[in-house]
Amino acid sequence: KAGVTQTPRYLIKTRGQQVTLSCSPISGHRSVSWYQQTPGQGLQFLFEYFSETQRNKGNFPGRFSGRQFSNSRSEMNVSTLELGDSALYLCASSWEGGTGELFFGEGSRLTVL
Amino acid sequence: GENVEQHPSTLSVQEGDSAVIKCTYSDSASNYFPWYKQELGKGPQLIIDIRSNVGEKKDQRIAVTLNKTAKHFSLHITETQPEDSAVYFCAASKGSGGYQKVTFGTGTKLQVIP
């Protein structure tokens, strides 16, 4: 069974630009969560989608948005990039009938110059 | 909302020694406490978890203890090996079944010195 796939793995953007990150969950998983990881801050929850609906949202500005498609694939978008948005963005999927375990992808590392 | 504090932020141990990582949580409704290990360049992976109706769980060299009254839980790694070197995250969550609202600690970087 294929794991969670995130693309792109690395990207460099400049301030003011926007970026879209993609996540393909494990087959059969309909819940997709996004996290921002920065040194010293751990894993900060961005949002969670289930069946194309945002079910939960963290404390991030409106520049951070996401969506989920009917095949459970998810994208997140960050507009008007700031230097502080440089981070590893992790996607995790889970199964509704499971224990709550999150299955993480390897992340997309965003550098904002 | 839930707040999870994790200590220490870094930990160095000699190979063969034990390592202990401690976490506290604030929401008494939290009922699921997983621990994730993140190796360099990879995403976090679940290594052990415990539910609120259990006080201790062990899996080979790793164990987790939970004190619901004090709202703290700990990860214990015995006979540490170099491959245990990684960043460890504790988490607290509440919900049922596959839907869990998860809050992570800030992580502990464990270094096992050969």
Side-chain angles (χ1 to χ4, degrees):
Chain A
K1 205 174 202 182
V4 177
T5 304
Q6 291 189 246
T7 57
R9 289 293 313 280
Y10 303 91
L11 64 166
I12 299 174
K13 294 284 187 179
T14 56
R15 281 181 298 173
Q17 287 186 312
Q18 73 159 10
V19 65
T20 298
L21 309 177
S22 179
C23 172
S24 293
I26 291 172
S27 177
H29 289 191
R30 294 196 292 165
S31 171
V32 174
S33 302
W34 288 90
Y35 291 84
Q36 181 193 66
Q37 183 176 15
T38 54
Q41 294 297 315
L43 298 166
Q44 300 290 313
F45 174 73
L46 282 155
F47 25 66
E48 186 247 350
Y49 287 88
F50 177 77
S51 290
E52 302 179 66
T53 300
Q54 187 181 88
R55 194 160 58 174
N56 223 337
K57 189 178 189 306
N59 297 322
F60 277 81
R63 299 186 296 108
F64 292 81
S65 62
R67 59 178 175 168
Q68 186 180 34
F69 302 94
S70 58
N71 62 356
S72 294
R73 190 177 70 86
S74 177
E75 289 182 347
M76 68 163 283
N77 184 278
V78 188
S79 62
T80 320
L81 285 167
E82 301 176 358
L83 295 178
D85 296 334
S86 295
L88 180 68
Y89 290 89
L90 289 161
C91 165
S93 71
S94 63
W95 176 49
E96 283 297 289
T99 60
E101 178 180 358
L102 296 174
F103 294 82
F104 284 89
E106 295 190 326
S108 293
R109 183 165 294 283
L110 170 65
T111 301
V112 182
L113 302 176
Chain B
E2 173 68 278
N3 182 49
V4 177
E5 294 190 358
Q6 182 172 348
H7 300 281
S9 57
T10 60
L11 179 59
S12 291
V13 299
Q14 292 289 332
E15 182 178 357
D17 286 350
S18 295
V20 180
I21 303 171
K22 299 182 178 181
C23 291
T24 60
Y25 62 99
S26 61
D27 190 343
S28 56
S30 289
N31 57 8
Y32 176 61
F33 305 91
W35 286 86
Y36 287 83
K37 175 184 180 183
Q38 185 178 28
E39 297 177 341
L40 200 61
K42 297 186 177 181
Q45 185 173 12
L46 181 75
I47 55 171
I48 193 168
D49 55 14
I50 191 168
R51 298 203 173 270
S52 57
N53 58 349
V54 177
E56 184 174 359
K57 183 177 180 181
K58 190 173 181 180
D59 183 4
Q60 297 183 7
R61 296 187 297 108
I62 60 174
V64 58
T65 59
L66 171 66
N67 184 325
K68 281 170 43 181
T69 303
K71 294 184 194 165
H72 66 71
F73 55 114
S74 301
L75 177 71
H76 304 253
I77 305 174
T78 59
E79 300 172 19
T80 53
Q81 300 169 4
E83 52 265 39
D84 294 330
S85 295
V87 178
Y88 292 81
F89 292 96
C90 64
S93 69
K94 58 183 177 182
S96 59
Y99 177 55
Q100 301 274 337
K101 182 174 167 58
V102 183
T103 302
F104 285 88
T106 50
T108 297
K109 185 175 182 180
L110 173 65
Q111 180 185 22
V112 179
I113 304 167

